[in-house]
Amino acid sequence: MANNSSSSTYYVSVEKLQIGLYVFIDLPWFQHPFTLNSFRISNEEQLRTLKSLGESRFRYDPKRSDADPDDPVETPSTEEPKTTESDTPDEDLSPELAARRKRIRALEAHRRRIEEVDKTYLKATGILRNLNRKLMTRGEETLQEMDVLVDHMVTAFLKHPEVTLHVMGEKFSGVESYSHSLNVSVLSMMLSKGLGLSEEQAHSLGVGALLHDIGLAEIPERVLKKRPDEYTKPERDLRAMHCEFGVRLGKKLGLPPGILAIIFQHHEMADGSGYPTGALVDKIAFPARIVSLVNFYDNLCNPTDLAQALTPHEALSFMFGQRRTKFDAAILQQMIRCLGVYPPGSIVSLSNDVVGLVLSVNPTKPLRPWIMAYDAKVPKEEAILLNLEQETELVIAKALRPALLPPAIHAYLSPRQRITYYFDSSVQATQGAK
């Protein structure tokens, strides 16, 4: 084996991969199916998956490997210079054309970022589904992987100046419950910084939100598949017991009290109208108040019966206008700051009669979000993105019901196929809810 100098990097060709090697995957997290970007290969399935990624070689760590490839390649650990595309406009261009090209580049970058977060979300949903399947049989290992998943979610969705999360609103067979848990976890962590939670508290909140519905595993499938308005009273009472069932399962897994409180109280309401105990706000753990609000919001946007779905604009307006007493006031205010007056996913008509989908919020100017505009002359894949903070001559005239859109506009904007949650962590930190 080559010497283990800390100043060297070791590679192994894809053909020489073997069980026991500790490898690194130098690809974006959403471009491979593994929970971690580095791990020790432990079985043939991992080998096959690594070989299917299309890489010719992989970095590996000799010190953490239990095997020794016969063709290691050692290269100096020097940093390669980064190459970036020049942002300097062509001096021969007119100011108008230079400005147009700069705008095109910005829109393309925004679209690429949207695509990347979309892929990351879908991967996280798949990982969460697999983790839930083995939660009760390999509890300790699964909880450790959930911790890693939350860390990845923080990196992918929360720590950048601009974070856009596209959440697929359509119900895909077998993944809807995992999408809901992921939505609630991400949105809860989005609110946490402005509410004064530490990184450790936000991490615990994220894990608790991922597990808040764990007790549904104890409810018969025939009950879970029914629409809420079709429940008999015994079925409604049984489903409501998923909070107690969740705590029982959580104790078996050795979950800490803070996460158990989220599981037990995520349906409690500030005015005492929730369940299982009808606790008032001062008796509800603060993280559970966050999850209760976010859980309520996501259930309005993505209910079991999509015909009953509210737009994000309608959902937030309903919560603030008609259900305000059910939530901690500071948390509700923070959500409004985070999601804006026209929450992402809203369909709006602009002052020039253009119809568009709100993609993301400008937190400092909630009336001037990013809009994906409908234009029959522009292919859907190349839809025009408008930043109303820059398009100062345009304003939002009103919000529209997706069901009332002409079929062509509905298909183009696909309002029920994606909801976007946007968060600007740098702005949030300066706003501070408390």
Side-chain angles (χ1 to χ4, degrees), residues 132-150:
N132 272 269
R133 286 174 177 169
K134 63 179 185 178
L135 184 59
M136 299 313 300
T137 57
R138 296 160 65 183
E140 184 177 351
E141 174 189 338
T142 303
L143 291 175
Q144 290 175 352
E145 292 188 26
M146 279 195 173
D147 278 335
V148 172
L149 176 59
V150 169

Side-chain angles (χ1 to χ4, degrees), residues 129-405:
R129 175 177 52 190
N130 293 332
L131 293 180
N132 272 269
R133 286 174 177 169
K134 63 179 185 178
L135 184 59
M136 299 313 300
T137 57
R138 296 160 65 183
E140 184 177 351
E141 174 189 338
T142 303
L143 291 175
Q144 290 175 352
E145 292 188 26
M146 279 195 173
D147 278 335
V148 172
L149 176 59
V150 169
D151 287 339
H152 279 305
M153 287 161 55
V154 169
T155 301
F157 304 140
L158 304 179
K159 282 192 174 177
H160 303 292
E162 293 182 346
V163 179
T164 317
L165 171 62
H166 275 227
V167 178
M168 305 307 292
E170 291 183 339
K171 299 294 184 179
F172 297 100
S173 176
V175 303
E176 53 267 22
S177 61
Y178 309 111
S179 297
H180 171 67
S181 295
L182 193 62
N183 290 0
V184 173
S185 183
V186 172
L187 274 173
S188 295
M189 288 192 293
M190 283 181 178
L191 301 181
S192 66
K193 189 170 184 178
L195 292 169
L197 273 65
S198 66
E199 287 189 14
E200 182 179 352
Q201 290 170 326
H203 184 96
S204 176
L205 173 66
V207 175
L210 283 179
L211 294 170
H212 76 278
D213 272 338
I214 186 178
L216 291 178
E218 299 289 291
I219 307 297
E221 193 72 14
R222 61 176 177 78
V223 175
L224 294 178
K225 287 186 175 181
K226 292 183 72 173
R227 293 189 336 195
D229 59 354
E230 295 177 342
Y231 282 159
T232 63
K233 186 179 186 304
E235 287 173 336
R236 186 175 293 106
D237 292 342
L238 175 62
R239 196 184 195 284
M241 290 182 68
H242 75 277
C243 299
E244 290 97 323
F245 294 158
V247 170
R248 186 173 66 192
L249 293 173
K251 288 181 176 178
K252 287 182 180 179
L253 293 168
L255 295 177
I259 292 179
L260 292 177
I262 291 174
I263 293 171
F264 186 63
Q265 295 187 311
H266 71 273
H267 280 291
E268 298 285 9
M269 295 295 170
D271 62 358
S273 63
Y275 65 86
T277 66
L280 292 170
V281 64
D282 60 340
K283 300 297 183 183
I284 306 171
F286 189 71
R289 297 181 215 169
I290 298 174
V291 173
S292 172
L293 181 147
V294 173
N295 180 63
F296 191 95
Y297 172 81
D298 193 66
N299 281 331
L300 290 177
C301 293
N302 296 300
T304 304
D305 180 8
L306 279 181
Q308 303 298 316
L310 299 183
T311 67
H313 174 73
E314 291 172 330
L316 204 54
S317 298
F318 173 74
M319 291 170 65
F320 185 78
Q322 301 183 43
R323 296 292 185 271
R324 194 183 319 180
T325 60
K326 293 185 176 296
F327 310 107
D328 183 301
I331 301 173
L332 181 57
Q333 289 167 8
Q334 182 64 19
M335 175 172 263
I336 292 171
R337 279 195 290 267
C338 196
L339 295 185
V341 176
Y342 297 96
S346 302
I347 302 293
V348 295
S349 174
L350 303 181
S351 53
N352 62 353
D353 294 327
V354 167
V355 175
L357 175 72
V358 177
L359 285 182
S360 58
V361 174
N362 288 318
T364 57
K365 295 185 178 180
L367 292 173
R368 309 202 69 80
W370 279 83
I371 303 290
M372 183 173 79
Y374 168 74
D375 188 334
K377 299 177 181 178
V378 177
K380 178 180 178 179
E381 297 75 20
E382 302 173 11
I384 296 170
L385 305 181
L386 300 173
N387 181 357
L388 296 191
E389 187 175 11
Q390 297 176 355
E391 306 289 344
T392 54
E393 74 283 2
L394 296 176
V395 296
I396 294 176
K398 60 182 177 180
L400 304 174
R401 287 281 300 173
L404 301 180
L405 294 175

Side-chain angles (χ1 to χ4, degrees), residues 396-418:
I396 294 176
K398 60 182 177 180
L400 304 174
R401 287 281 300 173
L404 301 180
L405 294 175
I409 299 180
H410 191 285
Y412 189 100
L413 297 178
S414 304
R416 285 310 308 155
Q417 290 181 2
R418 62 179 64 202

